[in-house]
Each structure stands twice: as C-alpha cells, then as structure tokens.
Amino acid sequence: TNRIVPATAALYAAVVEGRVTHDGDPTFARHIAHAHVQPTPIGDKIVKVNKDSKDRIDLAVAAVLAFVNAEIAPPTTDVFVM
C-alpha cells in the first residue's frame, strides 16, 4: 500500500494531463477496466472488485509501477506510451 498509493496517484495525474497514452491493446484495456479504486487513509489504490474475482488486473498494476519507475529515469520523449 505504501508504494502503490502514490504510484496510482502519479499515473492518474499523468493520464488526466495527457502525458500518458495507450496504444489500444485489448488485454491491457481489459485489465484497466477490471481495476477498481479503493480509498485508503493515505490515498487511493487500485484493486480487484473483490479478492476472489477471476478478472485480472496484473497489467494495470504493472503499468502503475512501470510509470513511476519511468518517472525516476524519464524516457527521452515527452509522452509515455503503454
């Protein structure tokens, strides 16, 4: 939680600001669609709708963590494409 909450906020801000785009990959889109926001005392994090759900969110979580790591060592372009 301590790592995913600020990472989720950073990716959300980048999406809203148009700094992140999505190439339309259907598997990635499905994982993003299955991810839900869960409020915590320190901020929002992405989770499955319930822990027993068979819907996968692995790529959504990976995107959040990859984005934060890319921000630490930014790519050479102004837009990060997932």
Side-chain angles (χ1 to χ4, degrees):
T1 298
N2 290 341
R3 185 171 177 209
I4 199 72
V5 168
T8 300
L11 179 57
Y12 178 79
V15 169
V16 170
E17 294 165 6
R19 294 185 290 123
V20 173
T21 62
H22 170 359
D23 69 358
D25 177 77
T27 304
F28 181 69
R30 187 170 51 254
H31 283 228
I32 292 293
H34 292 159
H36 293 267
V37 174
Q38 178 183 53
T40 74
I42 61 172
D44 295 337
K45 67 178 182 176
I46 60 171
V47 296
K48 289 183 172 187
V49 67
N50 69 59
K51 68 179 183 167
D52 298 322
S53 172
K54 294 192 185 301
D55 292 337
R56 308 278 309 249
I57 66 166
D58 302 353
L59 297 179
V61 173
V64 168
L65 298 176
F67 177 77
V68 169
N69 287 330
E71 275 199 322
I72 293 168
T76 57
T77 63
D78 293 331
V79 177
F80 190 77
V81 178
M82 294 185 164

